[in-house]
Amino acid sequence: MTKRDYLTVTDFTKKETLELIDEAIKLKHERKSGVNHNDLAGKTLGMIFEKSSTRTRVSFEAGMMQLGGHALFLSHRDIQLGRGESIHDTANVLSRYVDGLMIRTFAHSGIEEFAQYAEVPIINGLTDEHHPCQVLADLMTIREEKGDLTGLTMCFIGDGYNNMTHSLMEGAALMGMNMHVASPEGYEPSADITNKVHSLHETNGGSFQFSHDPAAAIADADVILTDVWASMGNETEEAERMEKFADYQVNGALVSSAAPNYMFLHCLPAHRGEEVSASIIDGPRSFVFEEAENRMHAQKALLKKLL
């Protein structure tokens, strides 16, 4: 079988993505019914972390265990990559030990280089430009609540040049959803990804709109998303970002023009009182903990397909 990687949402077709989501929902229901699987018995997933994580590590590790496999946590301090060994050599060596690699790192070019040289599937656990596993879980959560994804409107309020924004844009375009993004000036999404999603919308339906006005972007939205204003790597800009994003908080006043049965999602960790008010993230339209749980189920479906 030809090796497949999952570096961005669009590495899989719409049909393949929907099949993954439906398989994830099935696995979730079976898990809650006490049904266990051993599809990955004897398989090992190597997990390279150059950025720390709660949900990514635990969801992949628990998911592999539930499928009968094993996961190895590899901090960059624990392997020779952190001491200057090349990606080429690391990828070649690890390919001889494990059946797949999940990598959570900084530059997206680094994970692309891993995929180039590795002989086993590479899964993007997060880079500075993309977060496909999170968006796969987001789409699963929306499908569980709303059913058909086509034609729904997602709205992201916050930093447009952000891995979550980019992957959400790609996911919406792949599924034929409408995607609205509102960000302050200077924080617009990547031009390359914007051009890519416009092309995808021409094929799959839906549309992409960007605005500097959060109230205009959120009007009639079915799904509202945000993320922290200063992601990992942006900590030195925190004070500046707090000032520039002050009018972009998702709160009761802002969501008043959204669809009455809107869903609120957040990839977590969240900073209540900054990007979102406590009344929204802890309110009745919030699905953030279901979304966090779905990371594991969505990734189990992905692991089964790739490994």
Side-chain angles (χ1 to χ4, degrees):
M1 186 175 69
T2 304
K3 176 176 87 86
R4 295 286 300 273
D5 301 309
Y6 194 62
L7 307 187
T8 71
V9 174
T10 54
D11 282 346
F12 283 7
T13 65
K14 178 178 182 178
K15 179 176 181 290
E16 288 175 320
T17 302
L18 284 171
E19 288 173 349
L20 275 183
I21 291 169
D22 289 341
E23 172 70 4
I25 293 171
K26 175 175 171 285
L27 288 169
K28 179 179 182 178
H29 290 162
E30 289 176 343
R31 174 69 180 170
K32 291 182 181 297
S33 300
V35 177
N36 295 309
H37 293 269
N38 286 299
D39 303 76
L40 299 184
K43 301 284 188 180
T44 301
L45 177 73
M47 306 188 303
I48 298 176
F49 283 84
E50 293 191 304
K51 284 187 174 184
S52 60
S53 170
T54 299
R55 279 150 292 276
T56 299
R57 177 177 179 179
V58 178
S59 60
F60 269 107
E61 201 161 324
M64 278 296 291
M65 182 192 70
Q66 290 173 19
L67 291 172
H70 181 68
L72 289 171
F73 174 77
L74 303 168
S75 162
H76 69 282
R77 294 181 296 273
D78 300 327
I79 57 177
Q80 297 300 324
L81 191 66
R83 297 180 60 242
E85 184 172 44
S86 70
I87 288 177
H88 172 277
D89 291 353
T90 302
N92 270 283
V93 169
L94 291 180
S95 293
R96 295 164 184 260
Y97 299 150
V98 301
D99 300 286
L101 285 167
M102 187 284 298
I103 303 172
R104 185 175 170 94
T105 187
F106 293 89
H108 193 74
S109 58
I111 205 167
E112 290 177 326
E113 189 177 353
F114 256 104
Q116 178 183 352
Y117 293 115
E119 297 178 7
V120 297
I122 302 296
I123 298 172
N124 181 359
L126 176 143
T127 64
D128 287 343
E129 292 184 23
H130 295 275
H131 201 353
C133 290
Q134 178 64 57
V135 170
L136 186 63
D138 293 351
L139 294 174
M140 174 187 172
T141 309
I142 298 165
R143 186 162 173 79
E144 284 181 306
E145 176 68 14
K146 300 285 190 183
D148 189 13
L149 298 173
T150 305
L152 294 177
T153 297
M154 284 201 298
C155 176
F156 182 88
I157 307 292
D159 185 356
Y161 200 90
N162 171 285
N163 48 28
M164 275 304 301
T165 319
H166 292 158
S167 288
L168 284 166
M169 287 166 59
E170 292 185 343
L174 194 65
M175 294 294 110
M177 304 170 75
N178 303 308
M179 183 73 202
H180 299 171
V181 175
S183 307
E185 290 189 20
Y187 296 90
E188 295 82 4
S190 156
D192 288 343
I193 292 175
T194 299
N195 291 334
K196 176 182 177 181
V197 301
H198 278 306
S199 177
L200 284 167
H201 279 300
E202 289 177 5
T203 302
N204 299 321
S207 63
F208 172 72
Q209 297 177 29
F210 175 81
S211 174
H212 294 301
D213 182 355
I218 209 169
D220 299 319
D222 300 294
V223 186
I224 301 165
L225 306 103
T226 189
D227 195 3
V228 294
W229 290 340
S231 299
M232 282 180 284
N234 301 130
E235 290 85 356
T236 58
E237 305 170 18
E238 187 169 357
E240 178 186 358
R241 284 170 175 259
M242 291 300 153
E243 181 179 348
K244 290 186 176 180
F245 284 85
D247 295 331
Y248 289 79
Q249 183 188 85
V250 177
N251 53 37
L254 188 60
V255 305
S256 62
S257 61
N261 62 339
Y262 76 88
M263 298 174 66
F264 175 76
L265 300 177
H266 191 306
C267 61
L268 302 179
H271 296 161
R272 289 164 175 79
E274 292 181 11
E275 75 273 7
V276 61
S277 67
S279 64
I280 297 299
I281 193 170
D282 298 320
R285 301 311 305 162
S286 175
F287 292 78
V288 296
F289 296 113
E290 196 77 17
E291 173 191 14
E293 177 188 341
N294 285 345
R295 281 290 301 275
M296 181 176 69
H297 305 299
Q299 288 160 190
K300 284 167 69 176
L302 178 65
L303 289 164
K304 279 186 64 176
K305 183 174 182 67
L306 293 181
L307 302 192

